[in-house]
Amino acid sequence: MVSAALLLTACGSGSPEAADDAKPVANEASEALPEEEPEEDEEPEEEPDEVLLKAGDESEQVRELQARLGQAGVFEARPTAFYGDTTTGAVAAFQEANDALEVSGTVHESTWELLLQKTQDPTQEQLFPREQVMGYGDNNDQVRELQARLVQLDHFEDNPTGYYGNVTKTSVESYQRAAGVEVSGIVYDDTWAALKAATKQPARDEMFVPVEVPEVEKETPAGLDDRCMTGRALCISKTTNSLSWVIDGDVRMTLDVRFGAEGYETREGEFTVYWKSRDHHSTIYDSPMPFALFFDGGQAVHYSENFLQNGYEGGSYGCVNVRDREAIESLFDQVNEGDKLIVHW
């Protein structure tokens, strides 16, 4: 009977009241609560990449940065301790060459640490490199001043020339040995500063020493009169039938000429060109006289078509005829009124 009662109860038959009586009494504390989802582990926050150096900074750390960048092969200028455009570009180049770094041109802590790993502590020479002031091959007034200052200390025996050649290089080496400066033959800023401190500013005559050039008499070329050797002169020889255009003793042009026929002889002597007439026509003899250079009355040097055609068979009415039209045209343009003209044997 007890078994049957338990079975019926387990099957849920009976009255609602009986069922309620069979339910266990539960209190609030015993009620099941929903399970809370486990909290996910939070990732630790990354420490910010601190900015150590940036454009506009000026310090000895910037100088060290520049020297180290020089070791890394991305900074070719002299360290200045100022973080400008050149330094920004060099930092960016270093960052670009290292994939772990962000390319920004600014030195964050990560950039600085990697740079320290890849370089060595800069030497004094790297931090404060010497600057070349003058060297072999230079040619200017500063070299002339250098030479004049070396003369004051008996390290340069010649007059200053302004050219930095072997003589100047040897003289600089001599001074550097005497002054206790590194002997290089090149004038770096330390050599120049020491030399300027040991000498006085050269006077202009010390830098530009007047040189007396002896006057050498020019030998008179064959066929020229001595009077043709000075100034601008048309030198006309009746002996050689030639006209030479001479400036300060240098013969610039020589032309064949012929003279006046018998009874119309060309006068000899020293004259000046008093009138030039490019397209002259003789009213007395009704003949053309192009490129006429008048020197004595109606006598002139001019182009002659007759001379070109007939040579020395004919003669002029006292003028000096030229048969090379192109040459006399060029001569006409070069000669000035007032230039000297000599007709001689």
Side-chain angles (χ1 to χ4, degrees), residues 37-99:
E37 296 182 4
E39 295 183 1
E40 296 182 3
D41 294 337
E42 295 183 2
E43 295 183 4
E45 293 184 4
E46 294 184 3
E47 294 184 6
D49 198 1
E50 183 182 354
V51 174
L52 300 183
L53 297 169
K54 63 184 183 305
D57 288 350
E58 187 169 9
S59 66
E60 289 308 304
Q61 189 178 8
V62 174
R63 188 185 299 277
E64 180 183 350
L65 166 68
Q66 294 165 333
R68 287 182 180 273
L69 290 171
Q71 292 181 27
V74 293
F75 188 83
E76 298 181 357
R78 298 177 72 250
T80 61
F82 177 72
Y83 200 130
D85 292 340
T86 302
T87 305
T88 299
V91 170
F94 176 75
Q95 292 169 332
E96 188 173 4
N98 294 275
D99 296 336

Side-chain angles (χ1 to χ4, degrees), residues 47-327:
E47 294 184 6
D49 198 1
E50 183 182 354
V51 174
L52 300 183
L53 297 169
K54 63 184 183 305
D57 288 350
E58 187 169 9
S59 66
E60 289 308 304
Q61 189 178 8
V62 174
R63 188 185 299 277
E64 180 183 350
L65 166 68
Q66 294 165 333
R68 287 182 180 273
L69 290 171
Q71 292 181 27
V74 293
F75 188 83
E76 298 181 357
R78 298 177 72 250
T80 61
F82 177 72
Y83 200 130
D85 292 340
T86 302
T87 305
T88 299
V91 170
F94 176 75
Q95 292 169 332
E96 188 173 4
N98 294 275
D99 296 336
L101 301 176
E102 178 187 355
V103 180
S104 63
T106 298
V107 179
H108 292 82
E109 189 172 0
S110 57
T111 298
W112 183 249
E113 289 178 356
L114 187 58
L115 183 62
L116 292 180
Q117 294 173 21
K118 290 180 173 289
T119 57
Q120 299 176 342
D121 290 341
T123 64
Q124 190 73 5
E125 178 66 21
Q126 289 173 329
L127 290 169
F128 300 92
R130 294 178 301 171
E131 183 177 5
Q132 180 172 321
V133 181
M134 284 169 275
Y136 193 93
D138 288 346
N139 190 4
N140 52 49
D141 285 347
Q142 190 176 30
V143 174
R144 194 180 289 272
E145 179 184 347
L146 164 69
Q147 295 165 335
R149 288 183 183 273
L150 290 171
V151 167
Q152 294 178 26
L153 300 179
D154 297 325
H155 289 287
F156 193 83
E157 298 180 354
D158 299 329
N159 290 332
T161 62
Y163 177 71
Y164 201 124
N166 289 328
V167 175
T168 303
K169 181 177 181 292
T170 301
S171 299
V172 169
E173 291 172 343
S174 174
Y175 167 72
Q176 288 172 330
R177 276 190 291 269
V181 181
E182 180 186 350
V183 179
S184 62
I186 299 171
V187 179
Y188 290 104
D189 47 9
D190 55 348
T191 296
W192 186 234
L195 180 60
K196 290 175 73 175
T199 56
K200 63 180 180 64
Q201 177 65 41
R204 181 170 180 79
D205 284 350
E206 293 178 273
M207 293 174 58
F208 299 87
V209 179
V211 179
E212 292 185 6
V213 180
E215 290 187 9
V216 179
E217 282 192 21
K218 295 183 179 179
E219 184 177 347
T220 304
L224 292 188
D225 188 282
D226 290 341
R227 292 171 292 179
C228 302
M229 295 302 294
T230 58
R232 298 161 58 89
L234 287 166
C235 200
I236 302 170
S237 171
K238 287 188 171 182
T239 301
T240 61
N241 291 320
S242 64
L243 178 156
S244 296
W245 172 226
V246 187
I247 299 179
D248 294 328
D250 293 326
V251 178
R252 304 297 180 88
M253 183 186 302
T254 300
L255 308 176
D256 293 334
V257 294
R258 73 176 183 181
F259 302 97
E262 187 176 351
Y264 298 96
E265 288 80 4
T266 303
R267 291 181 284 275
E268 298 102 32
E270 182 173 344
F271 310 93
T272 59
V273 177
Y274 70 87
W275 182 33
K276 294 172 58 177
S277 180
R278 182 178 293 273
D279 299 310
H280 193 77
H281 190 93
S282 172
T283 56
I284 298 176
Y285 301 106
D286 192 23
S287 61
M289 297 171 57
F291 309 112
L293 302 169
F294 287 90
F295 60 90
D296 184 30
Q299 293 191 352
V301 177
H302 65 83
Y303 171 70
S304 170
E305 185 71 22
N306 183 273
F307 183 24
L308 175 65
Q309 298 297 330
N310 301 315
Y312 292 99
E313 294 300 321
S316 71
Y317 291 102
C319 288
V320 179
N321 293 161
V322 178
R323 59 182 170 185
D324 187 332
R325 184 182 181 91
E326 184 176 342

